[in-house]
Every structure is written in structure tokens, then in C-alpha cells.
Amino acid sequence: MKTNFYVDGFNLYYRAVKGTPFKWLDLLAFCQRLTPSHTVNRIRYFTARIAPRPGNLRGPQRQQTYIRALETIPNLQIHYGQFRPRTKTRPLATPIPGLPSYVRINDTKEKGTDVNLATCLLVDGFNHDYEQAVVVSNDSDFALPINVVRDQLAIPVGVVNPNVDRKRSAPNELTSAATFVRRLRETTQRNTQFLPTLRDGRGLINKPSSW
């Protein structure tokens, strides 16, 4: 069965690989392992370029290295949203009498990646680009587009819940909308890593030493 994968990059990172040695994830091997009897037709990876932050000044460099590694996968496309920095005013949970009860904070908001994923899932479905779709995310915002593809286009859509913690199941909205739901296992990540060194048209790509 011709299968397309739609990978919510930040959801996968924060739910599955952050704090683990499995950040150097080969998404083609990853998708093949999730659906071993199907053909991986296309992988769409949704992310946004991060900016240096205190305590993570080299984060953008590591991200760009990983993106170069992903770009060596022929049937993978990367779709970018963006981070928008802004200042917010928020009330203190326990204000101190005589002192201001509000504080101003610097915040960064990810924009566009969810809309991009939902749009590509629907457009590809209407264009008959796949016989089955798999969404790698546990974001309940994807329930409606998944339901549209499943019910109106009669195409099965699976969800891979990236929470490796068995106590954290997929939201009910996703479970109801999807044709099937699977939980990501740590062994899948462990066994689907890129080689430490890859090569593209610009030269060698080395796995970040801190990974």
C-alpha cells in the first residue's frame, strides 16, 4: 500500500527524542519500520528554524545539521513554519503585597506548522497521492483533517502517538478520527538512527557531538 507520512517535527522531538540519545533519527528507516509491509511513498516533515536561546546557543547549528541529514532522503520534503518572538504580560500566580502583580516576559510562538501539515494531508488526499496516510503527532488539532480524509475521501489515516510513556495515550479526538492509532516504541527510535557520518553535495555531515 502506498503510504505518505506527515511528521510533526516539534511534537516528535518534545514527546519522544528530547533528552534521549536518539535525536539523529533517520525518518525513512523510522517510517519503514512503522509500516514494514507498505511502500513509503512520501515523507513530509514539518518544522520551523529555531533561534539561539540562553542555555541552547548551538541549537540552531545542530538543527541545521539534522536538516541536512534529512535532505539526503530522496522522498522527504521539509515544510517550514516560523517562530515569532513577542513580549507578553502575565499575572503572577502568587503576587506579593505591595509589589506589581503582573510581569512582562519574552516568549516565542511557533506558527504555521500545524496548518501546513493539515493542508498537505488534505491536498495530497484529494490528489490521490497516497493510498494510506500516517500522521506522527498526538496534537488533537489534526482530528478534523484526519476525519475528512478518512470519511469523505475513504482513505485510511493512521496516527502514531510519539509519547513513549505508556501512561500518556493519544487524545480521544485523534483516537476517534483515525483509522488506527499506534504508540511509538523506544526500540523503533533506537534502531532507526542515521550513520554517524553522511555525505551530501556539500560534503560530510557529522552527527552533533552532544547527541
Side-chain angles (χ1 to χ4, degrees), residues 64-91:
Q64 185 54 42
T65 299
Y66 182 58
I67 287 172
R68 278 186 64 193
L70 290 179
E71 289 174 339
T72 66
I73 299 174
N75 58 342
L76 183 143
Q77 295 170 275
I78 300 174
H79 303 267
Y80 292 99
Q82 57 184 305
F83 277 110
R84 293 181 181 174
R86 56 184 177 177
T87 301
K88 293 181 177 181
T89 300
R90 290 289 182 263

PDB file of all heavy atoms in Angstrom, residues 64-91:
ATOM      1  N   GLN A  64      20.295  22.618  11.977  1.00  0.00           N
ATOM      2  CA  GLN A  64      20.639  22.693  10.566  1.00  0.00           C
ATOM      3  C   GLN A  64      21.409  21.461  10.111  1.00  0.00           C
ATOM      4  O   GLN A  64      21.228  20.979   8.983  1.00  0.00           O
ATOM      5  CB  GLN A  64      21.450  23.961  10.285  1.00  0.00           C
ATOM      6  CG  GLN A  64      21.747  24.186   8.806  1.00  0.00           C
ATOM      7  CD  GLN A  64      20.506  24.176   7.943  1.00  0.00           C
ATOM      8  OE1 GLN A  64      19.474  24.754   8.322  1.00  0.00           O
ATOM      9  NE2 GLN A  64      20.564  23.528   6.787  1.00  0.00           N
ATOM     10  N   THR A  65      22.243  20.925  10.985  1.00  0.00           N
ATOM     11  CA  THR A  65      22.960  19.696  10.658  1.00  0.00           C
ATOM     12  C   THR A  65      21.967  18.552  10.456  1.00  0.00           C
ATOM     13  O   THR A  65      22.098  17.759   9.515  1.00  0.00           O
ATOM     14  CB  THR A  65      23.958  19.339  11.772  1.00  0.00           C
ATOM     15  OG1 THR A  65      24.912  20.402  11.904  1.00  0.00           O
ATOM     16  CG2 THR A  65      24.701  18.049  11.465  1.00  0.00           C
ATOM     17  N   TYR A  66      20.981  18.474  11.336  1.00  0.00           N
ATOM     18  CA  TYR A  66      19.971  17.413  11.203  1.00  0.00           C
ATOM     19  C   TYR A  66      19.151  17.601   9.935  1.00  0.00           C
ATOM     20  O   TYR A  66      18.835  16.627   9.238  1.00  0.00           O
ATOM     21  CB  TYR A  66      19.075  17.392  12.434  1.00  0.00           C
ATOM     22  CG  TYR A  66      18.037  16.285  12.391  1.00  0.00           C
ATOM     23  CD1 TYR A  66      18.423  14.957  12.262  1.00  0.00           C
ATOM     24  CD2 TYR A  66      16.677  16.568  12.451  1.00  0.00           C
ATOM     25  CE1 TYR A  66      17.488  13.933  12.206  1.00  0.00           C
ATOM     26  CE2 TYR A  66      15.734  15.553  12.406  1.00  0.00           C
ATOM     27  CZ  TYR A  66      16.151  14.244  12.276  1.00  0.00           C
ATOM     28  OH  TYR A  66      15.225  13.227  12.209  1.00  0.00           O
ATOM     29  N   ILE A  67      18.808  18.839   9.606  1.00  0.00           N
ATOM     30  CA  ILE A  67      18.051  19.096   8.381  1.00  0.00           C
ATOM     31  C   ILE A  67      18.854  18.660   7.158  1.00  0.00           C
ATOM     32  O   ILE A  67      18.311  18.058   6.219  1.00  0.00           O
ATOM     33  CB  ILE A  67      17.657  20.586   8.299  1.00  0.00           C
ATOM     34  CG1 ILE A  67      16.537  20.872   9.304  1.00  0.00           C
ATOM     35  CG2 ILE A  67      17.217  20.963   6.887  1.00  0.00           C
ATOM     36  CD1 ILE A  67      16.193  22.332   9.452  1.00  0.00           C
ATOM     37  N   ARG A  68      20.152  18.919   7.159  1.00  0.00           N
ATOM     38  CA  ARG A  68      20.991  18.443   6.046  1.00  0.00           C
ATOM     39  C   ARG A  68      20.937  16.923   5.943  1.00  0.00           C
ATOM     40  O   ARG A  68      20.879  16.367   4.835  1.00  0.00           O
ATOM     41  CB  ARG A  68      22.430  18.887   6.241  1.00  0.00           C
ATOM     42  CG  ARG A  68      22.736  20.303   5.808  1.00  0.00           C
ATOM     43  CD  ARG A  68      24.221  20.578   5.917  1.00  0.00           C
ATOM     44  NE  ARG A  68      25.015  19.754   5.017  1.00  0.00           N
ATOM     45  CZ  ARG A  68      26.340  19.615   5.084  1.00  0.00           C
ATOM     46  NH1 ARG A  68      27.020  20.249   6.048  1.00  0.00           N
ATOM     47  NH2 ARG A  68      26.982  18.848   4.227  1.00  0.00           N
ATOM     48  N   ALA A  69      20.947  16.261   7.091  1.00  0.00           N
ATOM     49  CA  ALA A  69      20.858  14.792   7.078  1.00  0.00           C
ATOM     50  C   ALA A  69      19.523  14.344   6.498  1.00  0.00           C
ATOM     51  O   ALA A  69      19.466  13.429   5.672  1.00  0.00           O
ATOM     52  CB  ALA A  69      21.045  14.245   8.495  1.00  0.00           C
ATOM     53  N   LEU A  70      18.437  14.996   6.904  1.00  0.00           N
ATOM     54  CA  LEU A  70      17.120  14.637   6.376  1.00  0.00           C
ATOM     55  C   LEU A  70      17.046  14.864   4.869  1.00  0.00           C
ATOM     56  O   LEU A  70      16.383  14.114   4.149  1.00  0.00           O
ATOM     57  CB  LEU A  70      16.029  15.454   7.065  1.00  0.00           C
ATOM     58  CG  LEU A  70      15.740  15.136   8.534  1.00  0.00           C
ATOM     59  CD1 LEU A  70      14.647  16.061   9.056  1.00  0.00           C
ATOM     60  CD2 LEU A  70      15.329  13.676   8.720  1.00  0.00           C
ATOM     61  N   GLU A  71      17.721  15.885   4.377  1.00  0.00           N
ATOM     62  CA  GLU A  71      17.668  16.207   2.950  1.00  0.00           C
ATOM     63  C   GLU A  71      18.366  15.166   2.088  1.00  0.00           C
ATOM     64  O   GLU A  71      18.240  15.209   0.858  1.00  0.00           O
ATOM     65  CB  GLU A  71      18.269  17.590   2.710  1.00  0.00           C
ATOM     66  CG  GLU A  71      17.373  18.713   3.237  1.00  0.00           C
ATOM     67  CD  GLU A  71      18.014  20.087   3.139  1.00  0.00           C
ATOM     68  OE1 GLU A  71      19.266  20.163   3.045  1.00  0.00           O
ATOM     69  OE2 GLU A  71      17.271  21.080   3.179  1.00  0.00           O
ATOM     70  N   THR A  72      19.086  14.227   2.702  1.00  0.00           N
ATOM     71  CA  THR A  72      19.673  13.127   1.930  1.00  0.00           C
ATOM     72  C   THR A  72      18.637  12.051   1.619  1.00  0.00           C
ATOM     73  O   THR A  72      18.928  11.135   0.846  1.00  0.00           O
ATOM     74  CB  THR A  72      20.857  12.481   2.682  1.00  0.00           C
ATOM     75  OG1 THR A  72      20.384  11.843   3.882  1.00  0.00           O
ATOM     76  CG2 THR A  72      21.914  13.519   3.042  1.00  0.00           C
ATOM     77  N   ILE A  73      17.440  12.142   2.215  1.00  0.00           N
ATOM     78  CA  ILE A  73      16.368  11.168   1.948  1.00  0.00           C
ATOM     79  C   ILE A  73      15.610  11.627   0.712  1.00  0.00           C
ATOM     80  O   ILE A  73      14.989  12.696   0.711  1.00  0.00           O
ATOM     81  CB  ILE A  73      15.425  11.062   3.160  1.00  0.00           C
ATOM     82  CG1 ILE A  73      16.202  10.592   4.401  1.00  0.00           C
ATOM     83  CG2 ILE A  73      14.268  10.121   2.853  1.00  0.00           C
ATOM     84  CD1 ILE A  73      15.374  10.596   5.679  1.00  0.00           C
ATOM     85  N   PRO A  74      15.633  10.860  -0.380  1.00  0.00           N
ATOM     86  CA  PRO A  74      15.074  11.338  -1.657  1.00  0.00           C
ATOM     87  C   PRO A  74      13.587  11.682  -1.622  1.00  0.00           C
ATOM     88  O   PRO A  74      13.162  12.638  -2.271  1.00  0.00           O
ATOM     89  CB  PRO A  74      15.348  10.171  -2.619  1.00  0.00           C
ATOM     90  CG  PRO A  74      16.424   9.363  -1.971  1.00  0.00           C
ATOM     91  CD  PRO A  74      16.234   9.528  -0.493  1.00  0.00           C
ATOM     92  N   ASN A  75      12.790  10.910  -0.905  1.00  0.00           N
ATOM     93  CA  ASN A  75      11.335  11.130  -0.935  1.00  0.00           C
ATOM     94  C   ASN A  75      10.840  11.906   0.279  1.00  0.00           C
ATOM     95  O   ASN A  75       9.682  11.778   0.682  1.00  0.00           O
ATOM     96  CB  ASN A  75      10.585   9.801  -1.049  1.00  0.00           C
ATOM     97  CG  ASN A  75      10.902   8.839   0.096  1.00  0.00           C
ATOM     98  OD1 ASN A  75      11.906   8.994   0.787  1.00  0.00           O
ATOM     99  ND2 ASN A  75      10.049   7.850   0.291  1.00  0.00           N
ATOM    100  N   LEU A  76      11.717  12.723   0.868  1.00  0.00           N
ATOM    101  CA  LEU A  76      11.339  13.540   2.024  1.00  0.00           C
ATOM    102  C   LEU A  76      11.340  15.009   1.631  1.00  0.00           C
ATOM    103  O   LEU A  76      12.258  15.487   0.968  1.00  0.00           O
ATOM    104  CB  LEU A  76      12.304  13.296   3.184  1.00  0.00           C
ATOM    105  CG  LEU A  76      11.994  14.044   4.492  1.00  0.00           C
ATOM    106  CD1 LEU A  76      12.329  13.167   5.707  1.00  0.00           C
ATOM    107  CD2 LEU A  76      12.782  15.360   4.592  1.00  0.00           C
ATOM    108  N   GLN A  77      10.304  15.726   2.050  1.00  0.00           N
ATOM    109  CA  GLN A  77      10.203  17.158   1.841  1.00  0.00           C
ATOM    110  C   GLN A  77      10.038  17.848   3.192  1.00  0.00           C
ATOM    111  O   GLN A  77       9.295  17.364   4.056  1.00  0.00           O
ATOM    112  CB  GLN A  77       9.013  17.497   0.940  1.00  0.00           C
ATOM    113  CG  GLN A  77       9.147  16.962  -0.480  1.00  0.00           C
ATOM    114  CD  GLN A  77       7.857  17.101  -1.259  1.00  0.00           C
ATOM    115  OE1 GLN A  77       6.976  16.248  -1.184  1.00  0.00           O
ATOM    116  NE2 GLN A  77       7.735  18.181  -2.015  1.00  0.00           N
ATOM    117  N   ILE A  78      10.722  18.979   3.343  1.00  0.00           N
ATOM    118  CA  ILE A  78      10.656  19.738   4.589  1.00  0.00           C
ATOM    119  C   ILE A  78       9.813  20.979   4.367  1.00  0.00           C
ATOM    120  O   ILE A  78      10.005  21.722   3.400  1.00  0.00           O
ATOM    121  CB  ILE A  78      12.062  20.120   5.077  1.00  0.00           C
ATOM    122  CG1 ILE A  78      12.898  18.857   5.330  1.00  0.00           C
ATOM    123  CG2 ILE A  78      11.985  20.966   6.352  1.00  0.00           C
ATOM    124  CD1 ILE A  78      14.344  19.126   5.677  1.00  0.00           C
ATOM    125  N   HIS A  79       8.860  21.201   5.274  1.00  0.00           N
ATOM    126  CA  HIS A  79       7.963  22.347   5.198  1.00  0.00           C
ATOM    127  C   HIS A  79       8.180  23.197   6.451  1.00  0.00           C
ATOM    128  O   HIS A  79       8.083  22.686   7.574  1.00  0.00           O
ATOM    129  CB  HIS A  79       6.511  21.892   5.121  1.00  0.00           C
ATOM    130  CG  HIS A  79       6.240  20.981   3.958  1.00  0.00           C
ATOM    131  ND1 HIS A  79       5.799  21.448   2.746  1.00  0.00           N
ATOM    132  CD2 HIS A  79       6.359  19.631   3.832  1.00  0.00           C
ATOM    133  CE1 HIS A  79       5.649  20.430   1.909  1.00  0.00           C
ATOM    134  NE2 HIS A  79       5.976  19.315   2.550  1.00  0.00           N
ATOM    135  N   TYR A  80       8.446  24.488   6.250  1.00  0.00           N
ATOM    136  CA  TYR A  80       8.809  25.358   7.357  1.00  0.00           C
ATOM    137  C   TYR A  80       7.667  26.267   7.779  1.00  0.00           C
ATOM    138  O   TYR A  80       7.026  26.917   6.940  1.00  0.00           O
ATOM    139  CB  TYR A  80      10.006  26.237   6.986  1.00  0.00           C
ATOM    140  CG  TYR A  80      11.291  25.468   6.807  1.00  0.00           C
ATOM    141  CD1 TYR A  80      11.750  25.124   5.540  1.00  0.00           C
ATOM    142  CD2 TYR A  80      12.048  25.088   7.914  1.00  0.00           C
ATOM    143  CE1 TYR A  80      12.926  24.425   5.370  1.00  0.00           C
ATOM    144  CE2 TYR A  80      13.229  24.378   7.754  1.00  0.00           C
ATOM    145  CZ  TYR A  80      13.655  24.046   6.480  1.00  0.00           C
ATOM    146  OH  TYR A  80      14.822  23.341   6.318  1.00  0.00           O
ATOM    147  N   GLY A  81       7.428  26.310   9.075  1.00  0.00           N
ATOM    148  CA  GLY A  81       6.660  27.380   9.678  1.00  0.00           C
ATOM    149  C   GLY A  81       7.663  28.407  10.159  1.00  0.00           C
ATOM    150  O   GLY A  81       8.754  28.542   9.606  1.00  0.00           O
ATOM    151  N   GLN A  82       7.324  29.107  11.226  1.00  0.00           N
ATOM    152  CA  GLN A  82       8.259  30.098  11.751  1.00  0.00           C
ATOM    153  C   GLN A  82       8.027  30.311  13.234  1.00  0.00           C
ATOM    154  O   GLN A  82       6.960  30.008  13.766  1.00  0.00           O
ATOM    155  CB  GLN A  82       8.116  31.426  11.008  1.00  0.00           C
ATOM    156  CG  GLN A  82       6.723  32.027  11.049  1.00  0.00           C
ATOM    157  CD  GLN A  82       6.611  33.286  10.232  1.00  0.00           C
ATOM    158  OE1 GLN A  82       7.374  34.223  10.425  1.00  0.00           O
ATOM    159  NE2 GLN A  82       5.658  33.325   9.310  1.00  0.00           N
ATOM    160  N   PHE A  83       9.094  30.805  13.889  1.00  0.00           N
ATOM    161  CA  PHE A  83       8.988  31.214  15.280  1.00  0.00           C
ATOM    162  C   PHE A  83       8.871  32.731  15.317  1.00  0.00           C
ATOM    163  O   PHE A  83       9.630  33.437  14.640  1.00  0.00           O
ATOM    164  CB  PHE A  83      10.227  30.781  16.072  1.00  0.00           C
ATOM    165  CG  PHE A  83      10.164  29.363  16.540  1.00  0.00           C
ATOM    166  CD1 PHE A  83      10.993  28.402  15.976  1.00  0.00           C
ATOM    167  CD2 PHE A  83       9.295  28.978  17.538  1.00  0.00           C
ATOM    168  CE1 PHE A  83      10.953  27.093  16.404  1.00  0.00           C
ATOM    169  CE2 PHE A  83       9.238  27.679  17.975  1.00  0.00           C
ATOM    170  CZ  PHE A  83      10.073  26.736  17.411  1.00  0.00           C
ATOM    171  N   ARG A  84       7.933  33.217  16.088  1.00  0.00           N
ATOM    172  CA  ARG A  84       7.744  34.655  16.212  1.00  0.00           C
ATOM    173  C   ARG A  84       7.970  35.086  17.650  1.00  0.00           C
ATOM    174  O   ARG A  84       7.190  34.742  18.539  1.00  0.00           O
ATOM    175  CB  ARG A  84       6.328  35.045  15.771  1.00  0.00           C
ATOM    176  CG  ARG A  84       6.062  34.831  14.290  1.00  0.00           C
ATOM    177  CD  ARG A  84       4.672  35.258  13.911  1.00  0.00           C
ATOM    178  NE  ARG A  84       4.397  35.040  12.503  1.00  0.00           N
ATOM    179  CZ  ARG A  84       3.212  35.231  11.934  1.00  0.00           C
ATOM    180  NH1 ARG A  84       2.187  35.638  12.681  1.00  0.00           N
ATOM    181  NH2 ARG A  84       3.042  35.010  10.644  1.00  0.00           N
ATOM    182  N   PRO A  85       9.043  35.845  17.900  1.00  0.00           N
ATOM    183  CA  PRO A  85       9.269  36.339  19.260  1.00  0.00           C
ATOM    184  C   PRO A  85       8.299  37.469  19.592  1.00  0.00           C
ATOM    185  O   PRO A  85       7.932  38.274  18.736  1.00  0.00           O
ATOM    186  CB  PRO A  85      10.713  36.856  19.205  1.00  0.00           C
ATOM    187  CG  PRO A  85      10.933  37.206  17.770  1.00  0.00           C
ATOM    188  CD  PRO A  85      10.101  36.233  16.965  1.00  0.00           C
ATOM    189  N   ARG A  86       7.860  37.509  20.824  1.00  0.00           N
ATOM    190  CA  ARG A  86       6.978  38.583  21.252  1.00  0.00           C
ATOM    191  C   ARG A  86       7.053  38.726  22.759  1.00  0.00           C
ATOM    192  O   ARG A  86       7.508  37.829  23.463  1.00  0.00           O
ATOM    193  CB  ARG A  86       5.544  38.322  20.803  1.00  0.00           C
ATOM    194  CG  ARG A  86       4.963  37.000  21.260  1.00  0.00           C
ATOM    195  CD  ARG A  86       3.571  36.792  20.692  1.00  0.00           C
ATOM    196  NE  ARG A  86       3.015  35.502  21.063  1.00  0.00           N
ATOM    197  CZ  ARG A  86       1.792  35.101  20.733  1.00  0.00           C
ATOM    198  NH1 ARG A  86       1.000  35.898  20.042  1.00  0.00           N
ATOM    199  NH2 ARG A  86       1.351  33.920  21.091  1.00  0.00           N
ATOM    200  N   THR A  87       6.594  39.857  23.236  1.00  0.00           N
ATOM    201  CA  THR A  87       6.579  40.134  24.664  1.00  0.00           C
ATOM    202  C   THR A  87       5.144  40.039  25.173  1.00  0.00           C
ATOM    203  O   THR A  87       4.218  40.582  24.554  1.00  0.00           O
ATOM    204  CB  THR A  87       7.143  41.540  24.954  1.00  0.00           C
ATOM    205  OG1 THR A  87       8.482  41.619  24.455  1.00  0.00           O
ATOM    206  CG2 THR A  87       7.163  41.807  26.452  1.00  0.00           C
ATOM    207  N   LYS A  88       4.965  39.332  26.299  1.00  0.00           N
ATOM    208  CA  LYS A  88       3.632  39.144  26.870  1.00  0.00           C
ATOM    209  C   LYS A  88       3.604  39.676  28.307  1.00  0.00           C
ATOM    210  O   LYS A  88       4.616  39.693  29.007  1.00  0.00           O
ATOM    211  CB  LYS A  88       3.260  37.667  26.895  1.00  0.00           C
ATOM    212  CG  LYS A  88       3.075  37.026  25.534  1.00  0.00           C
ATOM    213  CD  LYS A  88       2.674  35.563  25.696  1.00  0.00           C
ATOM    214  CE  LYS A  88       2.414  34.904  24.370  1.00  0.00           C
ATOM    215  NZ  LYS A  88       2.005  33.468  24.535  1.00  0.00           N
ATOM    216  N   THR A  89       2.409  40.075  28.720  1.00  0.00           N
ATOM    217  CA  THR A  89       2.179  40.461  30.112  1.00  0.00           C
ATOM    218  C   THR A  89       1.349  39.371  30.759  1.00  0.00           C
ATOM    219  O   THR A  89       0.281  39.005  30.248  1.00  0.00           O
ATOM    220  CB  THR A  89       1.451  41.811  30.194  1.00  0.00           C
ATOM    221  OG1 THR A  89       2.241  42.815  29.556  1.00  0.00           O
ATOM    222  CG2 THR A  89       1.214  42.201  31.650  1.00  0.00           C
ATOM    223  N   ARG A  90       1.834  38.852  31.885  1.00  0.00           N
ATOM    224  CA  ARG A  90       1.162  37.743  32.550  1.00  0.00           C
ATOM    225  C   ARG A  90       1.026  38.025  34.054  1.00  0.00           C
ATOM    226  O   ARG A  90       1.923  38.607  34.677  1.00  0.00           O
ATOM    227  CB  ARG A  90       1.945  36.445  32.355  1.00  0.00           C
ATOM    228  CG  ARG A  90       1.904  35.913  30.926  1.00  0.00           C
ATOM    229  CD  ARG A  90       0.513  35.372  30.629  1.00  0.00           C
ATOM    230  NE  ARG A  90       0.398  34.797  29.299  1.00  0.00           N
ATOM    231  CZ  ARG A  90      -0.085  35.432  28.249  1.00  0.00           C
ATOM    232  NH1 ARG A  90      -0.472  36.697  28.377  1.00  0.00           N
ATOM    233  NH2 ARG A  90      -0.172  34.830  27.087  1.00  0.00           N
ATOM    234  N   PRO A  91      -0.106  37.601  34.654  1.00  0.00           N
ATOM    235  CA  PRO A  91      -0.268  37.798  36.098  1.00  0.00           C
ATOM    236  C   PRO A  91       0.563  36.791  36.879  1.00  0.00           C
ATOM    237  O   PRO A  91       0.746  35.645  36.454  1.00  0.00           O
ATOM    238  CB  PRO A  91      -1.765  37.553  36.309  1.00  0.00           C
ATOM    239  CG  PRO A  91      -2.136  36.612  35.206  1.00  0.00           C
ATOM    240  CD  PRO A  91      -1.282  36.995  34.030  1.00  0.00           C
TER     241      PRO A  91
END
